């Protein structure tokens, strides 16, 4: 080996050592949490979550669906959907809370959608009252759909009950999207129609009530090494939401009954082939627009064997997990709405 | 009561965590010694050989896939790039290459290292060590602490190029593999893999 070779080999070895030295420094960026005031407000609302309400909503939504004759999807003939009764249940519960319920109906291309939402007005005089924090989930279903997606609708209704009595810096809008199962139709229409609005963040839920504490109860897309026990709430974000994801993850540890969480950050707007499994719910249209949007899920068919089956019934849910998930979602909504 | 924030750097300008990373320097030092010590004594002889050897250079184009999989990220892509080799003598060659790939988003990789080779006719297999830097898009896992893994990940790799052939001004290789240990989590080694399904080069 020549002197030059020796010198170069030393250089490479030192380069390796330098990389080793720097790697821990470049490997993570520490995100700060919510402000103290926002965190305290969030923790206070989390304590108000009533597990009996969540269970009652899930069972009532399922009962309503059982009474409804499923309709074939105009998109997919073999998909039998139930929408109407759940929509009526949401409407009547929110109206009973004293909230003004808006039905945003659309029938483009002969496909009707009915997105239902309520606004929880911002504090009078707030400089950020023109900004929205959105909390969403879909209410259309295959079969009776206890986990998919009565669990999320139950959390939304409980959020409305708790948050309506408080006021925040931003307006909170709780939205029940229609026709998610047929290709995210309702949320895409909503995102297009409300494109000009200032949205601080969206928290979208799809399947948030199923957990298993058995080994190997959790699977994942190929190459992605998630935990093997399906007892966590997955929180997904695109690049635009990385900071918000970090804040919500930190908030989860501060709650009185924290739910185990796992955050996943999709590259860019999440539209790369490797992240295609991350776009399977109503947040997708918002990611595409570059909006800060978090997707909260129990990972659906990567965990739940009853996914899109008639066996997705209330007794298969883990109500302790649902309560903890609800506490985090509602607390995060409050913190995002009250963040300076 | 107030909490004073610790400075990021010690008064002498060294990063806070330096003492904790001494093993890194030791590994680097050992790597350097392992490459240099056995042949240090033979250096004058090598220099004599070098004076008659021609330092050939090569531009090559690799195409294939890259993968980085660890508890904190998944980076995977298919693509290609360009590389440069410099023959130090009849055995040792240094290389550097850059690639762009796409699948988990847009990914860049930079590699550099040194390989040893022998020749049996046109057959010119290589074996070496190097460093591989991944940057760009990947699926990243965020723990409960809320710390978001950065866009870059680094690995120490072994280059294995068993099917490399050289004839005159041209070279070609199939299934060249850089495989190694990715350093982006404290506890575990990530799998770093870069496979050149095919690379073709022009020597001058």
């Amino acid at each position: 080996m020549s002197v030059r070779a020796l010198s170069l080999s030393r250089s490479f070895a030192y380069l390796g050592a330098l990389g080793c030295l720097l790697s821990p420094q470049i490997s993570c960026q520490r995100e700060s949490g919510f402000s103290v005031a926002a965190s305290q407000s969030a923790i206070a609302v989390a304590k108000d979550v009533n597990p009996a309400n969540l269970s009652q909503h899930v069972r009532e939504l399922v009962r309503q669906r059982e009474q409804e004759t499923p309709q074939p999807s105009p998109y997919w003939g073999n998909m039998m959907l139930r929408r109407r009764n759940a929509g009526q249940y949401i409407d009547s519960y929110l109206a009973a809370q004293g909230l003004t319920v808006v039905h945003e109906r659309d029938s483009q291309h002969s496909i009707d959608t009915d997105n239902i939402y309520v606004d929880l007005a911002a504090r009078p005089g707030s400089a950020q009252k023109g900004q929205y924090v959105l909390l969403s989930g879909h209410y259309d279903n295959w079969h009776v759909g206890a986990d998919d997606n009565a669990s999320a609708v139950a959390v939304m209704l409980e959020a409305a009950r708790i948050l309506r009595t408080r006021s925040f810096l931003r307006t909170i809008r709780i939205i029940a999207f229609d026709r998610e199962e047929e290709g995210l139709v309702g949320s895409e229409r909503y995102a297009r129609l409300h494109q000009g609005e200032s949205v601080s963040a969206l928290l979208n839920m799809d399947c948030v009530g199923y957990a298993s504490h058995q080994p190997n109860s959790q699977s994942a897309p190929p190459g992605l090494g998630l935990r093997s026990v399906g007892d966590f709430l997955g929180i997904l974000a695109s690049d635009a939401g990385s900071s918000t994801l970090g804040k919500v993850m930190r908030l989860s540890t501060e709650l009185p009954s924290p739910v185990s969480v796992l955050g996943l950050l999709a590259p860019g707007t999440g539209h790369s082939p490797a992240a295609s499994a991350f776009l399977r719910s109503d947040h997708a249209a918002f990611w595409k627009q570059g909006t800060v949007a978090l997707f909260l899920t129990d990972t659906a068919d990567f965990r739940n064997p009853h996914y899109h089956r008639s066996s997705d019934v209330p007794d298969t849910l883990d109500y302790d997990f649902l309560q903890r998930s609800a506490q985090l979602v509602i607390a995060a909504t409050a913190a995002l709405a009250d963040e300076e | 009561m107030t909490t004073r924030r610790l400075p990021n750097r010690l008064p002498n300008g060294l990063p806070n965590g330096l003492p904790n990373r001494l093993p890194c320097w030791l590994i680097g030092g050992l790597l350097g010694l392992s490459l240099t010590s056995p042949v240090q004594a033979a250096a004058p002889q090598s220099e004599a050989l070098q004076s008659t050897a021609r330092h050939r250079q090569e531009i090559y184009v690799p195409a294939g896939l890259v993968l980085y999989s660890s508890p904190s990220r998944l980076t995977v892509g298919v693509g290609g790039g360009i590389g440069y080799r410099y023959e130090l003598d009849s055995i040792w060659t240094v290389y550097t290459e850059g690639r762009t790939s796409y699948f988990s988003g847009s990914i860049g990789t930079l590699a550099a290292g040194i390989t040893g080779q022998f020749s049996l006719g046109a057959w010119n297999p290589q074996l070496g060590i190097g460093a591989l830097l991944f940057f760009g898009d990947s699926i990243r896992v965020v723990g409960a602490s809320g710390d978001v893994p950065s866009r870059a990940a680094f690995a120490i790799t072994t280059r294995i190029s068993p099917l490399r052939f050289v004839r005159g001004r041209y070279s070609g290789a199939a299934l060249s593999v850089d495989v190694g240990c990715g350093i982006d989590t404290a506890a575990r080694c990530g799998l770093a893999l870069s496979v050149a399904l095919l690379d073709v080069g022009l020597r001058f």
Side-chain angles (χ1 to χ4, degrees):
Chain A
M1 187 182 250
S2 69
V3 171
R4 190 182 304 191
L6 289 171
S7 151
L8 276 165
S9 67
R10 271 198 209 108
S11 301
F12 280 114
Y14 293 139
L15 178 69
L18 185 65
C20 179
L21 181 78
L22 290 176
S23 190
Q25 296 190 340
I26 63 173
S27 66
C28 279
Q29 59 197 63
R30 183 160 287 257
E31 300 293 347
S32 60
F34 288 109
S35 66
V36 174
S39 290
Q40 284 174 348
S41 158
I43 292 165
V45 300
K47 287 175 181 167
D48 285 352
V49 172
N50 184 341
N53 288 351
L54 296 171
S55 167
Q56 187 186 335
H57 286 314
V58 169
R59 292 178 193 282
E60 188 57 29
L61 281 160
V62 166
R63 197 180 69 79
Q64 294 281 339
R65 284 171 184 151
E66 283 169 344
Q67 293 171 357
E68 183 176 348
T69 306
Q71 301 292 318
S73 161
Y75 285 107
W76 315 105
N78 62 344
M79 183 188 274
M80 302 299 281
L81 295 170
R82 292 173 168 93
R83 303 161 50 230
R84 196 187 64 246
N85 285 9
Q88 285 172 356
Y89 179 78
I90 293 165
D91 179 293
S92 59
Y93 183 82
L94 293 174
Q97 297 297 312
L99 297 165
T100 304
V101 184
V102 178
H103 286 260
E104 200 165 79
R105 295 192 173 94
D106 197 328
S107 56
Q108 290 177 50
H109 312 297
S110 307
I111 308 294
D112 66 303
T113 51
D114 182 9
N115 292 325
I116 305 166
Y117 67 79
V118 289
D119 283 347
L120 310 179
R123 199 173 296 151
S126 164
Q128 293 107 321
K129 68 178 177 186
Q131 297 175 8
Y132 289 90
V133 172
L134 310 181
L135 175 62
S136 69
H138 70 88
Y139 69 91
D140 59 310
N141 287 82
W142 282 59
H143 305 290
V144 293
D147 187 32
D148 183 14
N149 198 23
S151 60
V153 173
V155 175
M156 286 158 54
L157 298 180
E158 184 66 350
R161 182 189 70 81
I162 295 169
L163 300 177
R164 75 182 169 83
T165 58
R166 295 171 161 84
S167 61
F168 300 93
L169 293 175
R170 294 177 180 80
T171 301
I172 295 173
R173 177 169 288 175
I174 299 175
I175 316 170
F177 287 123
D178 195 6
R179 291 201 192 273
E180 185 268 356
E181 299 288 7
E182 293 164 272
L184 320 177
V185 184
S187 55
E188 283 184 1
R189 287 181 180 178
Y190 177 91
R192 201 166 48 239
L193 200 62
H194 295 260
Q195 202 163 2
E197 290 176 355
S198 173
V199 176
S200 296
L202 163 77
L203 298 177
N204 178 57
M205 297 172 284
D206 199 343
C207 306
V208 291
Y210 186 89
S212 171
H213 303 279
Q214 300 300 316
N216 303 317
S217 54
Q218 181 71 49
S219 61
L224 197 59
L226 300 186
R227 296 178 214 157
S228 61
V229 178
D231 60 355
F232 59 86
L233 183 70
I235 310 179
L236 283 66
S238 63
D239 268 350
S242 66
S243 172
T244 304
L245 173 63
K247 288 178 178 177
V248 172
M249 299 289 285
R250 277 173 188 257
L251 178 65
S252 72
T253 63
E254 297 169 13
L255 297 177
S257 307
V259 62
S260 177
V261 288
L262 186 137
L264 287 171
L265 196 53
T269 57
H271 286 73
S272 68
S276 59
F278 295 2
L279 293 173
R280 290 171 46 189
S281 192
D282 289 316
H283 58 286
F286 296 87
W287 280 12
K288 200 172 185 177
Q289 289 180 352
T291 303
V292 173
L294 304 188
F295 173 37
L296 300 105
T297 177
D298 62 25
T299 72
D301 52 329
F302 290 107
R303 179 187 303 172
N304 188 347
H306 309 291
Y307 174 76
H308 281 186
R309 292 171 187 266
S310 55
S311 57
D312 183 10
V313 295
D315 287 344
T316 62
L317 300 192
D318 180 332
Y319 288 95
D320 178 58
F321 177 76
L322 177 59
Q323 180 198 354
R324 289 167 189 259
S325 300
Q327 285 181 340
L328 175 60
V329 170
I330 297 170
T333 305
L336 288 163
D338 238 4
E339 183 78 335
E340 289 286 350
Chain B
M1 188 169 66
T2 59
T3 305
R4 195 159 60 90
R5 193 183 162 90
L6 288 172
N8 286 333
R9 304 181 78 80
L10 297 174
N12 65 2
L14 293 174
N16 281 346
L18 186 60
N20 297 334
R21 297 195 190 105
L22 277 177
C24 292
W25 287 108
L26 290 174
I27 290 167
L30 287 172
L31 276 170
L33 286 173
S34 67
L35 283 169
T36 56
S37 299
V39 288
Q40 202 89 309
Q45 189 188 348
S46 298
E47 277 181 274
L49 284 172
Q50 184 204 358
S51 64
T52 57
R54 187 178 163 198
H55 300 291
R56 298 203 71 154
Q57 300 172 69
E58 181 182 332
I59 299 287
Y60 64 100
V61 180
L65 57 95
V66 293
L67 169 75
Y68 190 105
S69 176
S70 79
S72 70
R73 77 183 67 232
L74 172 67
T75 308
V76 58
V78 178
I82 191 161
Y84 170 78
R85 288 190 186 100
Y86 180 83
E87 288 185 2
L88 300 169
D89 55 30
S90 60
I91 297 173
W92 300 101
T93 301
V94 291
Y95 68 90
T96 180
E97 71 179 52
R99 288 202 224 174
T100 59
S101 308
Y102 182 78
F103 193 67
S104 63
S106 300
I107 304 151
T109 51
L110 288 174
I114 184 164
T115 56
Q117 65 191 20
F118 70 89
S119 301
L120 198 64
W123 187 39
N124 218 248
Q126 292 184 328
L127 181 68
I129 65 161
L132 187 56
L133 179 71
F134 292 74
F135 55 93
D137 293 336
S138 55
I139 295 169
R140 291 174 282 170
V141 179
V142 182
S145 63
D147 293 341
V148 178
S150 81
R151 290 174 171 275
F154 180 81
I156 303 290
T157 57
T158 301
R159 171 163 286 202
I160 306 161
S161 187
L163 298 175
R164 182 166 183 270
F165 299 90
V166 173
R167 193 169 183 87
R169 287 168 56 85
Y170 304 102
S171 76
L175 294 175
S176 288
V177 177
D178 287 356
V179 60
C181 172
I183 309 160
D184 71 338
T185 51
R188 286 167 63 181
C189 218
L191 169 66
L193 185 68
S194 171
V195 179
L197 297 173
L198 189 68
D199 86 50
V200 290
L202 184 64
R203 290 149 55 86
F204 50 92

